[in-house]
Amino acid sequence: FDPLSVGIAIGAASALTGYLSYRDLYCRFAECCREEQPLNASALKLDLKEKLFGQHLATEVILKALSGFKNNKNPKKPLTLSLHGWAGTGKNFASQIVAENLHPKGLKSNFVHLFVSTLHFPHEQKIKLYQEQLQKWIRGNVSACASSVFIFDEMDKLHPGIIDAIKPFLDYYEQVDGVSYCRAIFIFLSNAGGDLITKTALDFWRAGRKREDIQLKDLEPVLSVGVFNNKHSGLWRSGLIDRNLIDYFIPFLPLEYRHVKMCVRAEMRARGAAVDEDIVTRVAEEMTFFPKDEKIYSDKGCKTVQSRLDFH
Ligand SMILES: Nc1ncnc2c1ncn2[C@@H]1O[C@H](COP(=O)(O)OP(=O)(O)OP(=O)(O)O)[C@@H](O)[C@H]1O
């Protein structure tokens, strides 16, 4: 065979197999938005179970919410998740796992967008401008990729007016100005409600009950009311709650000493080092725990584990 005829044969074959194989080839080199791509629920489950420590409720709800949403061929609204809990309990980390399971490049994907209140919306007097920019940004990105993911961190520091600007996108509309938002995913992260979650966890602990026995029904009602009435939740009277636009409130429990140790081990493995139990114990013991008498929960969760490990 001469090279020319081989070339023609490949060309003809790809023309016959059609557009898909060209697209597949293209998507090997460039990032593609695969709107209809089903979620690999077992991969997500494995990721959450292996990497996210001490969060049985969050794992369960995230899994249920995403599988249900991605299996629905015709969602009537975008998926909205509101993640709540104490600092360093894994809200950003869980969102990152979710993002990676939806778009392999995760937070680096062109289809995943992270907004941090204090960074992107710092000035109260510029709310009108932020509202317009945000609407434009979301509209543009959802037009380019319907399954875009938007993560709003530090919701408790966000001016409520900003979230009002995106309310129409989160509602049950088939289209808004010719764009459908029904396949998009919005994730809100906040410390609001962290005290209520901790109180419930502590009540269980004091009653001698297992942490794993805490159920969503023990937390969800307190949380949605607590967040709604909390001026600093970012969702305060935003209408998202009373119009039922938040699909799931996801509680993150405060982390215990044993979870901090798990974080230290994970971090050591991630650095390619062998796990040294002496160092694990030393790092965990450097963290501070509350309440004052019982000292059960780490006040920074696993947040400072990485930097503390640098000193050992
Ligand atoms: N439950 C957890 N399981 C495993 N690792 C965790 C967990 N919580 C926190 N970590 C580790 O600690 C780091 C910081 O946590 P993360 O940023 O997710 O906390 P957060 O809940 O978003 O805190 P904040 O409310 O202060 O933003 C993560 O990158 C991760 O390495």
Side-chain angles (χ1 to χ4, degrees):
F1 296 106
D2 63 288
L4 185 67
S5 49
V6 172
I8 291 172
I10 291 177
S14 49
L16 281 175
T17 48
Y19 163 79
L20 260 182
S21 57
Y22 169 74
R23 188 175 149 79
D24 281 348
L25 189 68
Y26 174 79
C27 294
R28 272 175 202 261
F29 298 102
E31 193 188 12
C32 288
C33 165
R34 298 184 177 238
E35 287 162 14
E36 310 276 334
Q37 179 117 323
L39 173 80
N40 183 344
S42 25
L44 175 62
K45 186 174 179 179
L46 195 70
D47 260 3
L48 289 169
K49 290 223 153 138
E50 285 191 345
K51 297 180 187 164
L52 186 67
F53 308 132
Q55 302 298 359
H56 69 285
L57 287 173
T59 299
E60 177 194 316
V61 185
I62 290 175
L63 207 54
K64 182 172 121 194
L66 276 159
S67 335
F69 182 69
K70 293 298 276 185
N71 283 337
N72 183 354
K73 292 237 170 322
N74 214 351
K76 297 276 178 285
K77 71 182 276 307
L79 178 67
T80 48
L81 308 177
S82 196
L83 277 48
H84 298 265
W86 207 261
T89 50
K91 299 178 297 297
N92 271 286
F93 189 53
S95 319
Q96 194 182 319
I97 295 176
V98 166
E100 280 163 6
N101 277 271
L102 293 168
H103 298 286
K105 288 189 168 178
L107 292 183
K108 293 201 185 92
S109 163
N110 291 326
F111 313 123
V112 176
H113 311 277
L114 172 69
F115 301 98
V116 183
S117 304
T118 47
L119 182 70
H120 296 102
F121 315 112
H123 305 297
E124 207 159 304
Q125 64 276 24
K126 289 195 181 158
I127 285 175
K128 269 247 138 350
L129 177 73
Y130 296 149
Q131 286 178 327
E132 281 165 25
Q133 286 176 336
L134 193 59
Q135 284 186 340
K136 234 169 138 181
W137 177 261
I138 292 177
R139 188 180 305 124
N141 281 292
V142 174
S143 310
C145 179
S147 57
S148 291
V149 178
F150 301 94
I151 303 170
F152 290 80
D153 192 12
E154 300 183 346
M155 277 294 285
D156 33 328
K157 297 187 185 79
L158 189 73
H159 190 284
I162 297 192
I163 230 54
D164 274 337
I166 63 165
K167 204 162 82 181
F169 303 151
L170 304 182
D171 217 325
Y172 290 82
Y173 299 123
E174 229 168 90
Q175 292 202 334
V176 183
D177 293 334
V179 179
S180 168
Y181 295 86
C182 296
R183 286 189 181 281
I185 295 180
F186 291 82
I187 304 178
F188 304 114
L189 315 183
S190 137
N191 293 134
D195 46 350
L196 297 169
I197 298 170
T198 300
K199 189 183 169 304
T200 307
L202 202 54
D203 289 346
F204 266 70
W205 190 90
R206 284 177 177 153
R209 298 174 69 186
K210 271 175 39 199
R211 174 189 181 93
E212 289 71 23
D213 290 342
I214 305 174
Q215 292 178 25
L216 200 60
K217 66 173 168 42
D218 298 314
L219 284 167
E220 216 176 13
V222 217
L223 199 55
S224 75
V225 174
V227 171
F228 185 51
N229 292 329
N230 180 347
K231 245 184 177 176
H232 304 288
S233 71
L235 294 171
W236 187 63
R237 305 215 172 131
S238 65
L240 292 192
I241 295 177
D242 58 347
R243 285 210 24 81
N244 286 317
L245 297 183
I246 303 286
D247 297 308
Y248 295 90
F249 285 97
I250 307 183
F252 279 68
L253 302 174
L255 296 180
E256 298 173 11
Y257 180 76
R258 60 187 163 127
H259 303 120
V260 174
K261 280 183 138 185
M262 291 163 100
C263 289
V264 184
R265 290 189 197 106
E267 184 58 27
M268 284 177 152
R269 281 189 212 103
R271 294 181 183 193
V275 172
D276 179 332
E277 284 299 328
D278 282 345
I279 298 183
V280 172
T281 307
R282 261 187 278 150
V283 174
E285 281 177 358
E286 275 176 19
M287 308 285 283
T288 38
F289 293 84
F290 69 97
K292 236 181 27 227
D293 297 330
E294 292 109 324
K295 295 196 177 7
I296 309 163
Y297 303 119
S298 162
D299 63 357
K300 293 190 186 65
C302 276
K303 213 162 184 175
T304 49
V305 160
Q306 297 184 356
S307 53
R308 277 167 202 268
L309 198 52
D310 295 338
F311 294 105
H312 290 276

